[in-house]
Amino acid sequence: RFLPYWISAAAIVVGAHYIGYVDPSYHPSKMLFLQEPVQFTVYLLIYIGRPLTWDFLVGIPVAVAYLTVVVNSLIYYSQNFKNKLQPILPWLCLGLYSLLAAISTDMSRLGLGVEQSYASRYSTLSMLFLISLVVILAKIIELSPTKVKKIMLIILATITILVAANYAKGLLQMKERHAYLLNVKQCAQTATSENDECLLLLYQDKQSVWPRLEYLRSIHWGGL
């Protein structure tokens, strides 16, 4: 009975966010997904599957298998435990929120290229989708017979392996990033003019970055 109130509150919150909003002139159109439905789908799959994939090229097949598990788990649960939907409703809402966030990002950023969907920052939201699935799988294990439990445990083990592989890849990337940032820091501390080649580590335009670097040095920010 509270659903209409929740929907109204959500509409107000989301609507308020867009009051006075104007797209930057360089920003791609949000209607591009109507012209590029295949790219839109690919972007969404890679975005959703990001927590389970350690490489962009395996993103689509992993995401398809992942969503197949999600759909079948929900069908199984709804068919066998209709009277026990209440415990998983919050988790369904969490997963739906993550999915809607993925669609919103897809519509807004598709024009920047499909590769952009693999950005690690998006895993913060796509991980919520995975968390909701894990909780639902755990609930199925709790309520189901032994045969189904074994299947669910295999799925959970597979998810754990994929997340661990992704995490291991992330650790390597963080080490590489750390080494790069050390070079950036050294350049920021030692560059002597706008002609110094190392300034390209800080920004793509040496003439633009040099006065900003001088300003940062003048106020001694960032250890400069």
Side-chain angles (χ1 to χ4, degrees), residues 97-112:
Y97 166 74
S98 180
L99 181 61
L100 292 174
I103 293 172
S104 175
T105 303
D106 193 349
M107 293 173 63
S108 299
R109 304 292 174 85
L110 182 59
L112 301 177

Side-chain angles (χ1 to χ4, degrees), residues 22 31 34 65-66 82 87 119 130 134 138 156 206-207 210-211 219:
V22 178
M31 296 294 105
L34 296 175
Y66 175 28
K82 289 182 179 179
L130 180 61
V134 168
L156 282 175
K206 292 186 292 184
Q207 281 69 38
W210 177 248
I219 60 175

Side-chain angles (χ1 to χ4, degrees), residues 111-153:
L112 301 177
V114 173
E115 295 79 6
Q116 203 256 355
S117 64
Y118 196 69
S120 59
R121 61 183 178 274
Y122 294 147
S123 60
T124 306
L125 285 171
S126 56
M127 182 63 76
L128 300 179
F129 193 80
L130 180 61
I131 290 172
S132 65
L133 172 63
V134 168
V135 173
I136 292 170
L137 292 178
K139 196 65 179 176
I140 291 175
I141 291 172
E142 177 188 330
L143 301 172
S144 299
T146 303
K147 184 177 180 180
V148 176
K149 286 182 180 179
K150 290 181 179 179
I151 296 173
M152 295 298 109
L153 287 171

Side-chain angles (χ1 to χ4, degrees), residues 28-224:
S29 170
K30 289 182 171 61
M31 296 294 105
L32 185 61
F33 74 97
L34 296 175
Q35 304 169 28
E36 302 285 350
V38 175
Q39 295 294 87
F40 176 82
T41 303
V42 170
Y43 191 111
L44 185 64
L45 288 173
I46 294 174
Y47 183 111
I48 289 294
R50 181 65 176 86
L52 299 174
T53 55
W54 60 93
D55 189 272
F56 180 82
L57 295 177
V58 301
I60 295 177
V62 169
V64 169
Y66 175 28
L67 292 177
T68 300
V69 170
V70 172
V71 171
N72 283 285
S73 298
L74 292 175
I75 291 174
Y76 176 83
Y77 197 101
S78 63
Q79 289 179 343
N80 293 274
F81 311 114
K82 289 182 179 179
N83 59 337
K84 296 184 179 179
L85 289 175
Q86 188 69 27
I88 68 166
L89 284 179
W91 303 102
L92 291 175
C93 291
L94 185 67
L96 181 60
Y97 166 74
S98 180
L99 181 61
L100 292 174
I103 293 172
S104 175
T105 303
D106 193 349
M107 293 173 63
S108 299
R109 304 292 174 85
L110 182 59
L112 301 177
V114 173
E115 295 79 6
Q116 203 256 355
S117 64
Y118 196 69
S120 59
R121 61 183 178 274
Y122 294 147
S123 60
T124 306
L125 285 171
S126 56
M127 182 63 76
L128 300 179
F129 193 80
L130 180 61
I131 290 172
S132 65
L133 172 63
V134 168
V135 173
I136 292 170
L137 292 178
K139 196 65 179 176
I140 291 175
I141 291 172
E142 177 188 330
L143 301 172
S144 299
T146 303
K147 184 177 180 180
V148 176
K149 286 182 180 179
K150 290 181 179 179
I151 296 173
M152 295 298 109
L153 287 171
I154 291 173
I155 293 174
L156 282 175
T158 303
I159 290 173
T160 302
I161 292 170
L162 292 174
V163 170
N166 190 12
Y167 188 79
K169 178 73 176 290
L171 289 176
L172 292 175
Q173 290 174 333
M174 282 191 286
K175 288 181 180 179
E176 294 172 358
R177 183 70 174 172
H178 179 253
Y180 167 75
L181 290 176
L182 286 178
N183 290 331
V184 169
K185 179 182 178 181
Q186 182 178 9
C187 176
Q189 293 174 332
T190 60
T192 56
S193 74
E194 64 181 22
N195 296 318
D196 200 316
E197 288 299 319
C198 80
L199 290 176
L200 293 174
L201 293 172
L202 280 73
Y203 192 64
Q204 59 190 357
D205 182 356
K206 292 186 292 184
Q207 281 69 38
S208 295
V209 75
W210 177 248
R212 301 174 190 180
L213 178 58
E214 286 189 309
Y215 174 71
L216 289 175
R217 286 175 174 177
S218 70
I219 60 175
H220 306 295
W221 275 22
L224 300 177

